[in-house]
């Protein structure tokens, strides 16, 4: 069995999830080639990449909204559509983590394909949405990386094809502590803006990881940290609580580790608004970042109980079963 695995590099969650699935596939003796598209990830894959496409990448303004003008101007539309017919003839199965080139190439060449990821959970009408649905975003999720079969991933099993979150092995069966500090990862906001809001509150200990921090430094009561996967993982295990965007990966990790969570959806990003709706139903704080809300979260919210079991073996079984159909 030979698989082509496509990974969308918008944020780090796609990589984190895909690493675990690919490793499990390889451990099961399955040959896997990898292609990627997009440029919005700070993590690197520990596997050889067969091809890196430009794809579609999102760009953000300083306060957490999508900069649509820059996003569109950076897209090479002609090349993007040409890439959607990548040769997949040598593969038995195509897996897409919301990656369009692998998905559309499989569709055009009539190959078996499976979509794995949070976005595919929104195929179910049972998955929570904001009160006002964004029709354009619903169509985007449906057609951006379409596959024949789906393994949706979400906080709860809203439908029979949806599984619980895939969590990095670096966080499973590790010692969890509370070293009395709060951890912040809001990559679409500037570190200057985040630090300003926290310093207005002026209490407690804070560590802020941000892609715009080139060297670790201190700003008032805030320790600004350069992105580092190993150090962030250690701080995630040892913090009191986490403030992060409503991307699926870090929010899921915080829930599984039993950390108090504040999740702030990126403005204009529908998937994150949907995730925030699910989290709010679970009693997670989802308001915007400011000093008043920092006080509210610290004193009036607590961590929630989250029941989780590792879905990776079930996912590998579903992949094998679909291939054999």
């Amino acid at each position: 069995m030979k698989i082509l695995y496509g990974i969308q590099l918008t944020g780090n969650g796609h990589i984190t999830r895909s690493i675990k699935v690919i490793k499990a596939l390889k451990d099961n003796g399955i040959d896997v080639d990898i292609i990627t598209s997009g440029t919005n990830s700070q993590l690197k894959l520990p596997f050889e990449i067969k091809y890196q496409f430009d794809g579609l990448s999102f760009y953000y303004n300083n306060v957490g909204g999508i900069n649509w003008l820059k996003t569109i101007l950076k897209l090479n539309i002609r090349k993007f559509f040409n890439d959607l017919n990548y040769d997949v003839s040598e593969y038995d199965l195509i897996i897409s983590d919301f990656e369009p080139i692998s998905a559309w190439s499989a569709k055009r060449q009539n190959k078996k394909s499976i979509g794995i990821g949070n976005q595919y959970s929104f195929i179910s009408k049972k998955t929570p949405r904001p009160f006002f649905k964004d029709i354009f975003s619903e169509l985007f999720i449906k057609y951006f990386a379409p596959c024949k079969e789906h393994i949706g991933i979400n906080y709860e099993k809203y439908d029979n094809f949806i599984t619980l979150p895939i969590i990095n092995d670096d966080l499973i069966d590790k010692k969890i502590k509370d070293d009395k500090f709060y951890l912040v990862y809001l990559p679409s906001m500037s570190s200057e803006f985040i630090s300003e809001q926290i310093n207005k509150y002026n209490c407690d200990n804070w560590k802020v990881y941000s892609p715009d921090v080139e060297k670790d430094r201190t700003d008032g009561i805030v320790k600004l940290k350069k992105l580092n996967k190993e150090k962030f993982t250690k701080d995630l295990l040892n913090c009191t609580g986490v403030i992060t965007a409503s991307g699926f990966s870090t929010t899921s990790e915080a829930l599984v580790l039993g950390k108090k969570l504040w999740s702030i959806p990126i403005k204009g990003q529908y998937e994150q608004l949907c995730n925030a709706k699910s989290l709010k139903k679970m009693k997670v704080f989802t308001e915007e970042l400011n000093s008043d809300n920092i006080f509210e979260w610290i004193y009036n919210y607590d961590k929630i109980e989250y029941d989780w079991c590792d879905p990776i073996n079930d996912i590998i079984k579903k992949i094998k079963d679909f291939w054999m159909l």
Side-chain angles (χ1 to χ4, degrees):
M1 182 180 182
K2 189 171 185 179
I3 289 176
L4 179 68
Y5 204 112
I7 307 171
Q8 169 70 13
L9 302 186
T10 300
N12 296 323
H14 299 279
I15 283 188
T16 302
R17 174 172 55 244
S18 296
I19 286 173
K20 185 158 182 175
V21 177
I22 292 168
K23 183 178 183 300
L25 289 169
K26 288 178 176 287
D27 288 345
N28 277 264
I30 298 170
D31 189 8
V32 183
D33 282 345
I34 302 166
I35 63 170
T36 62
S37 65
T39 58
N40 288 138
S41 176
Q42 290 81 40
L43 298 181
K44 292 185 178 180
L45 279 163
F47 311 109
E48 180 182 350
I49 299 174
K50 185 171 185 180
Y51 202 91
Q52 163 70 56
F53 293 92
D54 293 336
L56 173 66
S57 297
F58 291 105
Y59 295 87
Y60 305 98
N61 57 38
N62 288 340
V63 293
I66 295 176
N67 185 332
W68 284 107
L69 179 61
K70 186 175 181 181
T71 295
I72 293 169
L73 290 176
K74 288 284 186 177
L75 175 64
N76 186 330
I77 296 176
R78 178 179 292 181
K79 185 176 187 303
F80 178 69
F81 280 99
N82 286 338
D83 289 340
L84 295 180
N85 202 23
Y86 181 70
D87 184 8
V88 296
S89 59
E90 66 179 293
Y91 300 100
D92 301 301
L93 178 66
I94 315 301
I95 297 178
S96 172
D97 192 318
F98 206 56
E99 194 289 307
I101 293 168
S102 56
W104 275 102
S105 297
K107 185 177 179 68
R108 288 179 169 183
Q109 296 167 51
N110 197 29
K111 284 284 186 176
K112 286 186 175 182
S113 60
I114 298 180
I116 300 179
N118 180 229
Q119 290 87 352
Y120 295 106
S121 71
F122 298 109
I123 290 171
S124 172
K125 294 180 179 179
K126 299 176 185 178
T127 303
R129 264 84 161 177
F131 183 77
F132 293 105
K133 282 188 179 181
D134 183 331
I135 301 302
F136 173 80
S137 295
E138 290 278 346
L139 291 172
F140 177 82
I141 290 172
K142 184 176 181 180
Y143 292 110
F144 181 66
C147 293
K148 292 182 179 179
E149 188 76 4
H150 309 102
I151 300 176
I153 302 172
N154 217 300
Y155 306 109
E156 298 182 27
K157 295 181 180 180
Y158 300 113
D159 212 325
N160 57 13
F161 68 94
I162 297 174
T163 71
L164 294 178
I166 298 171
I167 301 298
N168 191 327
D169 286 335
D170 292 343
L171 297 172
I172 296 177
D173 297 327
K174 297 295 190 295
K175 185 177 181 180
I176 301 170
K177 297 191 298 181
D178 182 353
D179 285 344
K180 308 300 179 185
F181 69 90
Y182 294 104
L183 180 64
V184 182
Y185 178 56
L186 295 165
S188 66
M189 297 185 190
S190 70
S191 59
E192 181 182 356
F193 174 78
I194 297 168
S195 183
E196 178 185 357
Q197 302 310 309
I198 295 172
N199 277 304
K200 284 180 182 177
Y201 170 70
N202 195 28
C203 195
D204 299 305
N205 296 313
W206 299 83
K207 292 184 181 181
V208 174
Y209 283 81
S210 176
D212 68 11
V213 174
E214 297 180 357
K215 185 177 180 180
D216 292 0
R217 66 183 192 275
T218 299
D219 180 14
I221 62 171
V222 181
K223 293 180 180 178
L224 295 168
K225 311 283 286 185
K226 180 180 178 180
L227 291 182
N228 181 290
K229 182 178 182 293
E230 290 75 24
K231 290 181 180 179
F232 182 83
T233 297
K234 182 180 178 181
D235 284 336
L236 186 57
L237 288 165
N238 297 331
C239 69
T240 301
V242 180
I243 304 176
T244 188
S246 296
F248 189 67
S249 181
T250 306
T251 52
S252 298
E253 290 167 354
L255 289 171
V256 170
L257 294 174
K259 302 296 181 179
K260 183 162 77 166
L261 175 62
W262 177 359
S263 181
I264 304 169
I266 292 175
K267 297 171 184 177
Q269 197 171 96
Y270 187 63
E271 178 204 347
Q272 294 213 3
L273 293 172
C274 294
N275 288 341
K277 182 71 173 181
S278 295
L279 291 167
K280 190 171 184 177
K281 284 188 172 184
M282 298 164 66
K283 309 302 182 185
V284 172
F285 195 58
T286 59
E287 302 305 313
E288 66 181 19
L289 183 70
N290 58 51
S291 55
D292 290 339
N293 282 338
I294 291 172
F295 180 91
E296 173 74 12
W297 177 64
I298 288 175
Y299 289 103
N300 295 322
Y301 276 75
D302 203 351
K303 61 185 180 182
I304 65 173
E305 296 297 325
Y306 184 64
D307 188 18
W308 176 84
C309 60
D310 195 341
I312 193 66
N313 291 332
D314 287 341
I315 288 172
I316 299 303
K317 183 179 184 303
K318 286 182 179 181
I319 291 170
K320 288 181 176 180
D321 289 347
F322 178 64
W323 170 63
M324 294 177 69
L325 286 176

